[in-house]
Amino acid sequence: MDQSTLSPAMIEARAISKHFNTEAGRVDLFTDLDVTIARGESLAVIGRSGAGKSTLLSLLAGLDTPSSGRVSIDGQAIETLDDRQRAELRARKISFIFQSFHLLPELTALDNVRLPLEIRGAADPERDARHWLSEVGLADRTDHYPAQLSGGEQQRVAIARAFATRPGLLFADEPTGNLDEDTGAHIIDQLFRLNAQEGTTLILITHDAELAARCQRRLRLHNGTLTEA
């Protein structure tokens, strides 16, 4: 991918390190990583289990802070923000899709998508929620609760919820990890289609080589280093 064709950076991470203190001593997960992610780019972070991919995602999303170094999201330096300000930044700009869906079991599919829209003060959250559920092929399942939906349907609700707020930045951590092959392929087709429609910056954490290949760029996290793959 020719980086000159992309807009200015959505994420810049400089010399970020993360370590943990354990009873056995200090564990350095990674040290002095640099990464720049352009606005509108799709990026896959790949690597073996335990390499620190999900931790890196948490740092880039402002869910966690690095042991050293700095992270900026859309020009805003995370280290200058307190917890409330970081939460507000995530609410304005970021959505997440997790392997475990994270749907509220007591809410219908419609209400799971509508809730973040209501929190953000959308003019017509029900209309928007119905639109995005229709976009992922669930117009006839709006009144169903998560327990009444298949795994693939629950993931489509999660995707609808993630896109409904029209985030500038979308993180997906193993988004098809609990799905069968056919359902997973369908979900990913929808994810990239909606991503292209909205121009959202997409960052995927995945073990799936075919999914990673769909992204414009791939980075491998291995033995504490991050390299182009």
Side-chain angles (χ1 to χ4, degrees):
M1 179 71 183
D2 181 359
Q3 297 299 304
S4 66
T5 65
L6 297 170
S7 302
M10 174 61 81
I11 292 180
E12 287 188 288
R14 292 292 175 263
I16 59 170
S17 302
K18 190 65 177 180
H19 66 258
F20 303 94
N21 293 314
T22 70
E23 292 183 358
R26 172 167 149 167
V27 175
D28 290 293
L29 192 58
F30 43 73
T31 303
D32 292 335
L33 296 186
D34 293 329
V35 61
T36 299
I37 302 170
R39 193 180 312 276
E41 184 175 13
S42 59
L43 171 73
V45 179
I46 60 177
R48 63 173 177 79
S49 296
K53 301 186 302 298
S54 293
T55 299
L56 179 61
L57 180 149
S58 294
L59 297 178
L60 297 179
L63 294 169
D64 192 7
T65 55
S67 301
S68 61
R70 65 178 184 86
V71 176
S72 296
I73 298 176
D74 201 16
Q76 178 67 66
I78 295 298
E79 69 270 13
T80 67
L81 306 179
D82 59 27
D83 289 344
R84 178 186 59 81
Q85 291 170 323
R86 284 199 296 270
E88 289 177 351
L89 176 66
R90 290 193 299 270
R92 290 197 316 270
K93 296 182 180 295
I94 302 173
S95 284
F96 300 90
I97 300 172
F98 297 102
Q99 181 176 347
S100 55
F101 314 141
H102 287 202
L103 301 179
L104 295 175
E106 69 275 15
L107 297 183
T108 64
L110 178 65
D111 288 338
N112 264 285
V113 179
R114 181 168 55 186
L115 180 60
L117 290 163
E118 291 178 341
I119 291 173
R120 293 189 61 171
D124 194 340
E126 179 166 343
R127 178 200 63 197
D128 292 347
R130 289 187 182 279
H131 165 75
W132 283 105
L133 285 168
S134 178
E135 283 290 298
V136 298
L138 291 177
D140 61 344
R141 307 288 274 174
T142 58
D143 294 331
H144 288 67
Y145 291 88
Q148 298 172 311
L149 300 172
S150 70
E153 288 170 335
Q154 289 183 61
Q155 192 66 306
R156 280 188 274 166
V157 174
I159 290 173
R161 180 182 60 188
F163 276 92
T165 56
R166 288 178 164 81
L169 181 58
L170 175 61
F171 291 91
D173 191 354
E174 297 290 357
T176 61
N178 284 328
L179 305 180
D180 63 75
E181 184 176 352
D182 289 342
T183 302
H186 182 60
I187 291 297
I188 292 306
D189 284 343
Q190 292 178 328
L191 182 61
F192 279 97
R193 175 174 58 83
L194 294 175
N195 175 252
Q197 288 177 0
E198 296 298 309
T200 301
T201 305
L202 175 62
I203 301 172
L204 295 172
I205 305 296
T206 185
H207 289 93
D208 185 334
E210 290 186 8
L211 171 56
R214 297 274 302 264
C215 292
Q216 294 167 329
R217 189 158 62 109
R218 288 154 295 284
L219 297 176
R220 184 183 303 278
L221 185 59
H222 178 68
N223 289 339
T225 62
L226 196 61
T227 57
E228 297 281 345

